Amino acid sequence: SDDALTAIADRALERETGARGLRSIVEAALMDVMFELPSRDDVIKCAVTRDTIERGLPPTLVTEAPDRQQRAADPASGRPPYVIAIPPPNVTGALHMGHALNNSIQDVLIRWHRMAGFETEWICGTDHAGIATQAQVEKALVREGTSRRELGRAAFLERVWRWREEYGGTIIGQLRRLGCTLDYARERFTMDDGYARAVTRVFVALYERGLIYRDHYMVNWDPGLGSAISDLEVEEREVTDTLWSIAYPLADGAGELVVATVRPETMLGDTAVAVNPEDPRHRHLIGRSVVLPLVGREIPVIADDYVRTDFGTGCLKVTPAHDPNDFEIGRRHGLPAVPVIGEDGRMTPEAGERYAGLTPAEAAARVVDDLRAQGLLRAEEPYTHTVPFSHRSGARVEPLISLQWFCDMERLAAPAIEVVRDGTVRFTPGQWGDVYLRWMQEIRPWCVSRQLWWGHQLPVWYRGDEVHVGPEAPAGEGWERDPDVLDTWFSSALWPFATLGWPDETPELRAFYPGSVLSTARDIIFLWVARMVMMGLEFRGEVPFRDVYIHSVIQAPDGRRMSKSLGTGIDPLELIDEHGADALRFGLLLMSSQQDVRFSAEKIRQGRQLVTKLWNASRLVVARGGRAGHATPPEPATLADRWMGARVAAALEEAGALVAAYDFSRLAKLLYELVFDDYCDWYLELLKADEGSPEVAGDLLEQILALVHPLMPFVTEACWEGMPGAAGLLAVHAPPRPPHGRDAEAEAAIRDLQEAVTALRAYRNQADVPPRETLRVHAEDGGRLAPTAAAFQALARVELAATPVDGTIVAVPFGRLHVARAAAAIDMGAERARLGAERERVEAELRRAEGMLANERFTSRAPAHLVDAERAKVTRYTAARAALDERLAALGA
RNA sequence: GGGCGGUUAGCUCAGCGGUAGAGCACCUGCCUUACACGCAGGGGGCCGACAGUUCGAACCUGUCACCGCCCACCA
């Protein structure tokens, strides 16, 4: 391991000193390499259970990733670095399945590009998660019999910081267990000093550019939280309420108007009744007034297009203080707003003595009672509609007018729309780009202030009517800082550049902005992705990333959402304990898709099977004398070598395309098949039959390990370490090199071999021939099996006879195999039925193909190669049918 | 109310215009000295319904039926 360290240090020195003068990076990298890189034993720490030792099974790999990612970039290439900023997990959070999938994906991308020679940077860090964290600490305080208010702001914040020290960041350790090669050395936190500086700078700049302003406006008030929340934090839920019809007497005593409402308590704040100007039923009332029951206030009847004539009575009570629509109507007509529900979620004194202090629900009941007593209730009926609830606290959102800070989004959105339209930023799958655009085009102001303590306090000071926005209080006495903090997403929006030292022009910022890819779940496209694009463009003049990959959502096995509260969550850490991190990573990637998928434990088990397979295959190859570290690919000695080399080369090419397309499910599948089907089931079997050379087997294993490594870093690293000739970490291995290109001759020969071996195995099963029994076979094959005759005899356990033998005919696409075994051993009836069915299938296909060829419209219109394909099929099926006829005849049919 | 996605083998999912695929589960053989967390062989599907386009449709178009998600200020 000392050699490895030295080599890495040497390479780092050489590399970094040439790298665009990034002095601080050079020093940091060298320090890490020299003093902090764990030894190989730490990197590949294998927890070997008693069971695995006793049974000789492979180790269960549950280790942690290296502390420091290795940069293997070639600065001479001039390629831009490959950069991903992790979606910062909540500092107090625990790793869940979404994190596990998303970070597996990112690690594949990072490792893949690192091995491909890119300089890579995977920005690491956590989010302070204002509301979630504050809520957790508050809960703890309640258990201790105290509260946030009791402690006071300063003591409370101190407490949160301590909480963070104690419980925060465990998720980062969990990412290590997953094997993620983040840049742990440069871990950031959205509340660290440098980051706070960036947040302040952005707020002040946006204020100075006129994009941030303070206003009395209708906000979503979360009474549970005691704070305003943004539109995106509101969730509409269907609720069945009662729709009450209430009579409002006309002020002149000439009758009444009837309005309908599900919130009778808000009538206390009504300042008008609106009707549609086109409505003949009510037109004559416009400009007159009604007396608001229970209150006695005289309010006008106004005309507004917003009122529907086909709903309810056509009369709308207008409560500008507590309904977003009414708020707009109020602004249009200059109506006063009478707030009757306060920020504490209770009725205000303005609601009247009789109602003040009640909850809205209590007030509603009392209002209804009172109206009924006065004979003003006209009707009540059940009514199902959607009602806003807080995503955060679960409380029913109370729309009310409040003085808050807003960010005007329209100007910021314009260029962010453009970059997605013109493809500068590309979503995968592409449909999410449309979703993004639709939202951006109808973007509304963002309420960025929160009435919380944990977060970035607004850089705003007040003195009387004076307002100062800036990093510090202005000179002079009496300035008080705004107690509110910023929406957590405000700071998250700066993540791609604030983590790199902005607003300073640091070397990291110059080197690693803009990033390459953002990988995330779709639920934060608006909350986070869109805002990063806007802020990146506004403050760096460049998009923060070129590609946005939206991964699938993994649901519980029963199709419900995976969530702790539903009890449907599955803990990825337990899966790591049970199957190892590689198995989890692989399984999740295999599951992932363009659409939502249900979690299936089988996929994780499949991952584990691949781990085991690689381990066992490595043992075999090493035992046979295979080694790693060939400077140039060893010359293939056999057809099997050539064939397998071609398979690896093909897989390599395909894998590259799949990574580029973010198709991780297919990538996982491709590698699984390469290892199981091609390398183990065929090539290693051929190797055992001395039809492959250990030199090539070792080299191919090395390439396969390198290819699989981004998905399964632990087992591949362990296998690699066990190979003679292996030096250094596989993680910084050169990219897998295609051993040889296509090899038509070898591929054809091995295909013939596979067909013959498979046909004989099938025959053996049907004819109930013991696997150990060697069969005498005469091949009528036009010499097709000659190049692989020895392999054929070994794998099919046959002895080739030069002269014809009597017995059974086994058909292969290129001829017939005569097996010297009496057909009597076979269940004649069953065999005849089976062959008959097979013949029928072939016959049907033949008829279909002939039918197509007989159709003049097909032969004249379809592309030539498809017509040729059909002709070839006819030839093939005719031959197959003849062979089947022959076998049926031999059976005496 | 608007939009998006889904409906394919018992289960979880691929395939998206030219003979229906994988893994798991199932059945039958094998402890073949890398691996029984394995190997070999096999059974199983009118591709949600209906109509249309096409020489040809699981795949394209339309309608419908369920299921899921997102957006939305009709009291």
Side-chain angles (χ1 to χ4, degrees), chain A residues 242-249 256-270 291-297 299 317 351 354-355 360 362-380:
Chain A
T242 304
L243 184 66
W244 304 95
S245 295
I246 306 170
Y248 285 11
E256 64 182 31
L257 268 178
V258 178
V259 298
T261 181
V262 291
R263 308 254 351 235
E265 74 279 16
T266 61
M267 68 158 291
L268 301 168
D270 282 3
V291 176
L292 188 60
L294 310 183
V295 180
R297 183 164 58 233
I299 58 176
K317 63 190 273 306
R354 195 171 151 66
Y355 309 101
E362 290 162 353
R366 188 168 290 183
V367 164
V368 167
D369 283 348
D370 294 348
L371 289 170
R372 186 177 285 127
Q374 294 186 20
L376 292 172
L377 267 188
R378 288 290 170 270
E380 62 181 278

Side-chain angles (χ1 to χ4, degrees), chain A residues 536-766:
Chain A
L537 286 167
E538 180 72 13
F539 289 96
R540 294 300 298 165
E542 257 184 300
V543 296
F545 31 71
R546 308 301 300 269
D547 272 353
V548 178
Y549 174 63
I550 303 293
H551 67 248
S552 54
V553 172
I554 297 186
Q555 304 169 326
D558 61 6
R560 288 189 292 168
R561 206 165 53 84
M562 250 197 212
S563 100
K564 217 192 272 178
S565 54
L566 286 175
T568 48
I570 296 173
D571 184 356
L573 295 165
E574 280 175 24
L575 292 169
I576 293 178
D577 287 340
E578 196 178 346
H579 297 108
D582 283 341
L584 175 65
R585 292 165 61 114
F586 186 88
L588 291 177
L589 293 169
L590 192 59
M591 260 177 251
S592 77
S593 159
Q594 303 247 343
Q595 61 173 66
D596 290 354
V597 288
R598 297 180 183 205
F599 178 81
S600 66
E602 292 91 60
K603 297 290 194 293
I604 310 291
R605 267 182 248 127
Q606 221 177 312
R608 175 150 187 182
Q609 283 162 347
L610 182 55
V611 168
T612 308
K613 201 68 173 173
L614 283 168
W615 177 261
N616 286 319
S618 299
R619 280 171 47 204
L620 172 67
V621 170
V622 170
R624 291 263 165 180
R627 52 186 305 282
H630 296 96
T632 54
E635 217 31 58
T638 65
L639 279 169
D641 287 344
R642 287 163 56 192
W643 169 75
M644 192 63 218
R647 299 299 301 164
V648 171
L652 201 53
E653 195 181 321
E654 205 181 330
L658 291 172
V659 170
Y662 302 104
D663 194 340
F664 302 102
S665 175
R666 277 187 164 166
L667 177 65
K669 201 168 180 175
L670 170 77
L671 299 179
Y672 187 91
E673 284 166 1
L674 178 71
V675 171
F676 269 80
D677 300 349
D678 293 335
Y679 193 70
C680 291
D681 292 348
W682 286 104
Y683 181 70
L684 290 186
E685 290 306 317
L686 287 162
L687 177 75
K688 287 198 287 191
D690 291 324
E691 291 298 315
S693 74
E695 287 290 288
V696 173
D699 185 57
L700 291 176
L701 178 63
E702 176 177 344
Q703 308 313 322
I704 289 173
L705 289 174
L707 187 55
V708 176
H709 179 265
L711 288 84
M712 305 188 125
F714 295 116
V715 71
T716 49
E717 200 76 64
C719 291
W720 169 248
E721 189 182 44
M723 291 184 75
L729 288 173
L730 186 59
V732 291
H733 188 275
R737 118 177 86 66
H740 336 286
R742 293 293 302 246
D743 188 329
E745 187 193 349
E747 287 175 61
I750 299 296
R751 195 183 325 115
D752 289 346
L753 169 71
Q754 289 175 326
E755 269 158 356
V757 170
T758 303
L760 273 174
R761 283 170 178 167
Y763 162 78
R764 239 178 231 282
N765 264 275
Q766 287 148 21

